[in-house]
Amino acid sequence: MLPALSKRIVLAVGLAICLAACSSDDMTGGTDNTPHDILLSGTLDIPATYDADLDAGTVQTSETFADGDIWNESVSGDVDQLSVVDTSRFAVMGTAAPNYAACAAATYGSTSYELIGAPLGLYFCVHTDQNHYAEVQLTKTAVEGDHNISISFTTWK
């Protein structure tokens, strides 16, 4: 039988281990420990001059920009950029995957980002036109001659 003080120490150590191992700072939670359900996630290939709807997980079938959030804007033969559509906004986050809390706290803007030569694995947070947050990772960058890009994404409810 353990003395009462030893039981408290074992309980405290067990609780500390559980908090370290059980807490979640991943794509479903965030540092605030509030659950954030994933609306959808996947990958998209976005041709030059087309836009992607991160709320539906689709690339538009024509250049209408009706429900798009981000746009693979091909300006010229050597200038391609990631741009926003209408009310959507994005923030460049770097090479570490942001979680929901990081995307919710990000400073968003509408300034386009140069895609030719952009680093693979670069992350963006997007505030969509339907008021969702999304994490977007650039998995194929635009290069001269092939202006298409690929992304992986997670959109939270």
Side-chain angles (χ1 to χ4, degrees):
M1 193 76 57
L2 290 173
L5 181 57
S6 295
K7 286 181 186 177
R8 284 189 215 133
I9 292 172
V10 169
L11 180 61
V13 170
L15 180 59
I17 290 170
C18 182
L19 287 175
C22 300
S23 67
S24 175
D25 189 19
D26 63 12
M27 296 171 115
T28 61
T31 57
D32 61 4
N33 291 326
T34 303
H36 300 286
D37 294 331
I38 293 173
L39 178 65
L40 57 106
S41 64
T43 60
L44 293 172
D45 296 321
I46 309 171
T49 71
Y50 283 77
D51 60 305
D53 181 348
L54 300 173
D55 301 300
T58 59
V59 173
Q60 306 304 317
T61 56
S62 63
E63 298 174 24
T64 63
F65 306 102
D67 292 314
D69 296 302
I70 56 174
W71 174 28
N72 180 7
E73 182 180 10
S74 185
V75 178
S76 66
D78 59 351
V79 177
D80 287 315
Q81 52 196 21
L82 184 66
S83 299
V84 295
V85 179
D86 295 326
T87 60
S88 298
R89 297 291 179 258
F90 71 83
V92 180
M93 302 301 286
T95 57
N99 58 19
Y100 178 91
C103 286
T107 301
Y108 289 89
S110 59
T111 303
S112 298
Y113 184 83
E114 178 62 43
L115 289 170
I116 292 180
L120 280 178
L122 185 65
Y123 284 92
F124 299 86
C125 284
V126 178
H127 188 231
T128 73
D129 67 336
Q130 293 183 21
N131 209 28
H132 295 121
Y133 292 110
E135 167 210 80
V136 173
Q137 182 184 31
L138 191 60
T139 58
K140 178 189 177 290
T141 62
V143 294
E144 291 181 47
D146 175 7
H147 301 275
N148 304 332
I149 64 171
S150 297
I151 62 167
S152 63
F153 70 99
T154 299
T155 304
W156 293 283
K157 293 182 181 178

